[in-house]
């Protein structure tokens, strides 16, 4: 594979990752059958990849590989599918092809719905969702595109729709993390792995 077919800065193969990072990524690669290009790209800066993985896992897989929550941390609120819904909706608003394709695949798998990711990516503002999902997506989109306009009234509306403060925090944190990820994907011209396009469609 051409070194620049993954990103304009090149990439690192799994066998050349630092040992600790390779051990962390290897199970993902084994389960999926490939190494996602985001890891191959960010491995050019291993300290940043470690930090990204830590924050990603804390938000997207609470209680999983990130380890159990401390006694004073909230219980899980948003489902894994809802977390992926936020990523796809906000990445679409940010025109991030990599994150829409990669997390669209995960969203299809989480929801067992082969159509939802495409609909959310095409127009996250108008896709048909449950009331809870619509509240989550609308708040995430506001944070992604007009965060300076956010008011207490906006958060009160989210609470009235049934979201807890911990869930609202997670919506904001996931949106913020992937805003960074979207911009790094733009900077590096990161290309989605071909495998992502077909995952969860059948």
């Amino acid at each position: 594979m051409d070194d620049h077919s993954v990103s304009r800065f090149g990439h690192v193969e799994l066998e050349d990752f630092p040992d600790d990072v390779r051990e962390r990524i290897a199970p993902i690669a084994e389960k999926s059958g490939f190494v996602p290009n985001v890891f191959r790209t960010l491995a050019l800066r291993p300290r940043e990849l470690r930090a990204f993985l830590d924050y990603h896992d804390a938000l997207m897989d609470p209680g999983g590989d990130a380890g159990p929550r401390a006694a004073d941390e909230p219980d899980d609120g948003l489902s894994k599918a809802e977390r992926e819904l936020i990523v796809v909706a906000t990445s679409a608003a940010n025109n991030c092809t990599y994150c829409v394709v990669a997390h669209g695949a995960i969203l299809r798998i989480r929801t067992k719905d082969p159509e939802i990711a495409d609909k959310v990516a095409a127009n996250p503002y108008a896709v048909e969702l449950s009331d809870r999902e619509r509240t989550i997506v609308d708040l995430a989109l506001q944070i992604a595109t007009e965060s300076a306009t956010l008011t207490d009234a906006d958060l009160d509306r989210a609470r009235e729709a049934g979201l807890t403060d911990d869930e609202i925090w997670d919506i904001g944190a996931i949106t913020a993390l992937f805003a960074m990820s979207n911009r790094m994907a733009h900077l590096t011209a990161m290309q989605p792995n071909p495998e992502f396009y077909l995952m969860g469609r059948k």
Side-chain angles (χ1 to χ4, degrees):
M1 179 177 283
D2 185 329
D3 195 44
H4 293 279
S5 64
V6 172
S7 93
R8 61 166 52 108
F9 289 88
H11 67 278
V12 180
E13 296 296 353
L14 183 62
E15 59 267 25
D16 296 321
F17 283 23
D19 290 346
D20 64 307
V21 180
R22 185 173 60 254
E23 289 174 7
R24 192 163 179 180
I25 299 300
I28 299 171
E30 183 176 349
K31 183 176 181 179
S32 63
F34 63 96
V35 181
N37 285 343
V38 63
F39 303 140
R40 298 169 78 200
T41 301
L42 293 182
L44 291 162
R45 308 281 290 264
R47 288 193 303 171
E48 293 171 32
L49 176 53
R50 291 184 186 98
F52 176 80
L53 289 168
D54 286 344
Y55 200 19
H56 175 280
D57 291 353
L59 292 174
M60 301 303 288
D61 189 21
D65 292 339
R69 289 179 182 255
D72 60 346
E73 287 186 289
D75 293 333
D76 299 353
L78 300 175
S79 70
K80 288 186 177 182
E82 288 169 341
R83 294 168 196 270
E84 295 298 339
L85 180 64
I86 293 165
V87 179
V88 175
T90 60
S91 296
N94 289 329
N95 302 307
C96 180
T97 301
Y98 184 90
C99 291
V100 166
V101 172
H103 289 272
I106 301 170
L107 179 60
R108 289 191 296 272
I109 291 168
R110 296 277 190 230
T111 60
K112 297 181 173 58
D113 182 343
E115 299 180 3
I116 187 170
D118 293 333
K119 291 177 179 177
V120 170
N123 189 347
Y125 298 94
V127 62
E128 185 176 343
L129 299 168
S130 70
D131 290 344
R132 175 181 167 86
E133 290 168 336
R134 173 48 55 197
T135 301
I136 290 169
V137 167
D138 285 349
L139 180 58
L141 288 169
Q142 182 179 2
I143 295 167
T145 63
E146 299 179 305
S147 59
T149 70
L150 195 68
T151 66
D152 288 346
D154 295 314
L155 300 190
D156 286 341
R157 280 192 290 274
R159 294 183 184 106
E160 289 166 6
L163 296 178
T164 68
D165 280 4
D166 292 325
E167 290 173 330
I168 290 169
W169 182 291
D170 280 345
I171 292 167
I174 292 166
T175 300
L177 174 64
F178 281 91
M180 182 276 286
S181 185
N182 298 158
R183 284 152 180 80
M184 288 304 297
H186 290 153
L187 171 67
T188 60
M190 194 185 302
Q191 298 301 305
N193 301 69
E195 294 90 341
F196 280 129
Y197 288 95
L198 298 180
M199 289 170 61
R201 293 196 182 276
K202 294 183 180 180

